[in-house]
Amino acid sequence: FALMWAATDRAKVALLVEKGADVNATSELGHTPLMLAAMSDNSSAVVRLLLERGADPKPVAKADKLTALIAASRGNDLESIRLLTAAGGDVNAADLAGATPLMYASSHGNFAAVTLLLARGANVNAVSAPPGAVPGSHVKNGIIQIGRLTPLLVAAANGGPVEVVNALIAAGADVNARDARGLTVLMTAVATDHGDPAIVRTLVAKKADLTATDVNGETALDWARKAGNTPDAAILKRAGAPAAKPAAI
C-alpha cells in the first residue's frame, strides 16, 4: 500500500511504479491510488502518470461508491477531470450520497468543469440520494433533511456563479426542481447567505415558479424576506411573487 500513501507525491509515485508497485491496488475500502491522487490538490501530474502506467479509471469503491472522476470533481482539479473523462471515467457515476461529478463541479462553481462534464454527457437533472442514505446523517432528533439535490440546486445554494447556472439551464436543467425539504431552486438561491441577485433574475426570467411553496408552506419571497429587505426580495416583489406569511417586523 506504499503507492497509496505516496499518491500525492509525483516523484514518490514514479519511483514506486518503477519498482513494480501495482497501480490498480485497492484498499479495504476499495480505494485505488488513482482515486486518492485525484481527490488531492494539484493532482493532475500524478493522475496523468498513473493513467500512463495503466491505472484503470473505472473502478467503484465498495465502501462509498467513489470513482476517480468523482474524487477529482470533489477535489476541484480541472485538469484531472479532463484526464479522467478522456480516459473513460463515468460522468454519471454517483457516490453513496448520490452525488455525481457534475454536482460537485456545480458546488465549486467551476464553470470549465461544468461545461466539460455536460459536453461529455453528464445528466443535468440527476438527483442525489434522499435524506438518511449516508452514514452519519441520523442524529438524535432524527434524520438531517438534506438530499434529493440536482446540479442546479447545488449551484444556486452555493452562489453560482451565474455563468454556471446559465450553463446548466441551457443544458436543460429543471428550474423548478425541489430538494428533500420542498425547496425550489429559486428558494435555495434566495436562502443562501452568499447568493447573487443575478441568479435570482436569471431564474425569474427562465420562468421559475414564483408561487411554489415548501413543506412549511413558505414561498421564495418568504425565504428572501427572512434576511430583510434584500435585493433578492426586491426582485421577487417586482416580478409579482407572493408571500404566504406576513413580513417580519
Side-chain angles (χ1 to χ4, degrees):
F1 294 99
L3 188 56
M4 294 188 190
W5 286 104
T8 61
D9 187 318
R10 188 190 184 285
K12 291 179 181 178
V13 169
L15 176 62
L16 289 167
V17 171
E18 287 297 327
K19 296 296 184 181
D22 182 2
V23 295
N24 287 308
T26 57
S27 69
E28 291 183 1
L29 298 176
H31 295 160
T32 66
L34 187 60
M35 293 176 192
L36 298 178
M39 70 175 66
S40 304
D41 292 337
N42 302 314
S43 61
S44 60
V46 178
V47 168
R48 182 181 290 105
L49 173 61
L50 289 170
L51 288 171
E52 289 172 349
R53 296 305 179 95
D56 186 353
K58 297 179 182 179
V60 179
K62 59 185 178 182
D64 54 9
K65 301 179 72 174
L66 185 72
T67 68
L69 183 54
I70 291 173
S73 301
R74 283 185 188 176
N76 199 28
D77 190 297
L78 177 60
E79 185 57 25
S80 290
I81 294 170
R82 283 196 180 109
L83 290 166
L84 290 163
T85 54
D90 184 357
V91 296
N92 287 310
D95 61 17
L96 197 61
T100 65
L102 184 59
M103 291 179 194
Y104 285 115
S106 298
S107 74
H108 289 299
N110 191 329
F111 176 74
V114 165
T115 54
L116 170 62
L117 292 165
L118 288 171
R120 291 282 185 172
N123 181 1
V124 74
N125 286 309
V127 180
S128 71
V134 180
S137 59
H138 294 255
V139 293
K140 183 177 180 180
N141 293 324
I143 299 172
I144 299 173
Q145 293 300 307
I146 297 176
R148 300 195 183 281
L149 301 171
T150 67
L152 186 56
L153 278 164
V154 170
N158 285 279
V162 70
E163 290 81 9
V164 167
V165 169
N166 282 329
L168 293 169
I169 293 174
D174 180 3
V175 297
N176 290 309
R178 293 173 178 265
D179 71 5
R181 299 165 296 171
L183 269 66
T184 64
V185 178
L186 184 57
M187 293 175 197
T188 304
V190 299
T192 181
D193 60 1
H194 47 271
D196 181 353
I199 294 174
V200 178
R201 285 192 290 269
T202 292
L203 292 170
V204 170
K206 295 298 182 179
K207 307 302 181 185
D209 187 354
L210 303 178
T211 67
T213 56
D214 64 13
V215 294
N216 294 314
E218 294 183 307
T219 67
L221 182 56
D222 291 321
W223 274 98
R225 293 198 306 192
K226 291 177 189 290
N229 189 22
T230 63
D232 289 344
I235 293 167
L236 292 175
K237 289 177 183 177
R238 286 196 297 272
K245 298 183 177 181
I249 298 175

